[in-house]
Amino acid sequence: MSVITTLYNALELDPTLRTILADSTINPTKKAIYDHWADNETLMPYIVINFDFGDSFHWAKRETLLTVDIFTNGDTVQAEEIRDMVILRLDREILTDPDDGAFIRCYLNADRPLDEADGDEVTHWNIEFSLHHWRNGFIDHVNE
């Protein structure tokens, strides 16, 4: 797995999000959470997660900007419900990648509704998190 997969799984396995989100157009056994902008025909509601793995200034720590975009069929209440669940699942939570041992901590930076070209037909909510992830070897070294 990876940091991306670990965060995807934290959202995709949430029981509330599983009932709200549409099925994925890529894999119908999964929910509509994508790592790229979806086509116009994509069923709503869906989530797009995007990572900016900036420069790393420490051999064991990475700081990453995570952006989560939520799209619904003009339903602001539903968008806010999805926003609340995403924040609940990620903000200040500690996640661990079992394969590479990354220790991941998420911090909410901001969230806001964004205007869409489709006007009232689409609600777009944007959430921004700071991610800090540490290699497991570094954590083990500190604890020795």
Side-chain angles (χ1 to χ4, degrees):
M1 281 204 303
S2 67
V3 171
I4 295 170
T5 303
T6 300
L7 291 166
Y8 170 87
N9 287 340
L11 297 175
E12 209 273 332
L13 296 174
D14 178 81
T16 302
L17 289 175
R18 289 193 64 75
T19 61
I20 299 172
L21 295 175
D23 290 334
S24 170
T25 57
I26 297 169
N27 180 350
T29 65
K30 300 284 188 177
K31 299 315 286 184
I33 302 172
Y34 305 102
D35 64 355
H36 58 278
W37 290 111
D39 295 330
N40 289 339
E41 296 79 34
T42 302
L43 297 175
M44 291 189 214
Y46 66 88
I47 293 173
V48 176
I49 54 177
N50 188 9
F51 298 86
D52 181 358
F53 292 101
D55 294 335
S56 178
F57 299 105
H58 190 283
W59 70 271
K61 180 183 180 187
R62 296 286 311 263
E63 294 187 15
T64 303
L65 179 66
L66 167 66
T67 306
V68 178
D69 291 284
I70 300 163
F71 295 89
T72 64
N73 283 319
D75 187 340
T76 58
V77 172
Q78 187 178 57
E80 290 177 28
E81 182 180 8
I82 296 169
R83 176 206 61 196
D84 292 346
M85 292 311 304
V86 168
I87 291 171
L88 179 68
R89 286 293 149 241
L90 299 181
D91 185 34
R92 292 176 286 156
E93 291 298 314
I94 299 171
L95 305 169
T96 305
D97 179 342
D99 291 341
D100 70 11
F103 171 81
I104 306 161
R105 189 80 189 246
C106 305
Y107 299 96
L108 177 66
N109 290 342
D111 73 283
R112 60 201 154 268
L114 299 177
D115 291 331
E116 280 296 306
D118 294 333
D120 292 338
E121 293 180 24
V122 175
T123 296
H124 179 183
W125 203 284
N126 173 268
I127 310 170
E128 182 180 291
F129 294 92
S130 291
L131 296 182
H132 304 276
H133 39 106
W134 298 83
R135 289 187 180 140
N136 197 35
F138 179 75
I139 302 298
D140 291 343
H141 174 72
V142 170
N143 289 330
E144 291 178 348

